[in-house]
Amino acid sequence: MQITVKLYGTLKRYASGGKTQFELELAPDDTLEDVLVHLDIPYDDTHVFLINGRRADKSSYFRNRDTLVMFPEISGG
């Protein structure tokens, strides 16, 4: 199965070859945690993970052609 990954903000440093949007091949039972391990991205509560625009956690599963967006939380004052 294949998903699209989009990295923003400080997570761009984990982009392979400098591409912040790329396709990733997954096994049918892979979770967000599996993707993070594969990309060497630490799971952090200060990051936002969205699958098809919906908030996801490390136990979230994927379907073929899903889009995973990852970015750091933004805070202001």
Side-chain angles (χ1 to χ4, degrees), residues 6-76:
K6 298 179 182 182
L7 303 173
Y8 294 96
T10 57
L11 292 174
K12 287 181 180 180
R13 70 176 177 244
Y14 297 100
S16 177
K19 291 185 176 183
T20 59
Q21 180 175 329
F22 53 92
E23 302 299 315
L24 186 62
E25 193 70 32
L26 301 180
D29 60 345
D30 278 353
T31 64
L32 174 57
E33 184 173 25
D34 296 317
V35 171
L36 296 175
V37 168
H38 177 77
L39 297 176
D40 200 26
I41 298 174
Y43 184 80
D44 189 334
D45 288 339
T46 65
H47 296 145
V48 176
F49 305 101
L50 303 173
I51 298 174
N52 300 328
R54 295 185 178 198
R55 193 79 181 238
D57 62 31
K58 64 183 180 178
S59 64
S60 297
Y61 287 92
F62 295 92
R63 293 187 315 228
N64 193 39
R65 298 286 180 210
D66 278 349
T67 299
L68 170 62
V69 176
M70 297 185 269
F71 56 91
E73 278 188 335
I74 299 171
S75 62

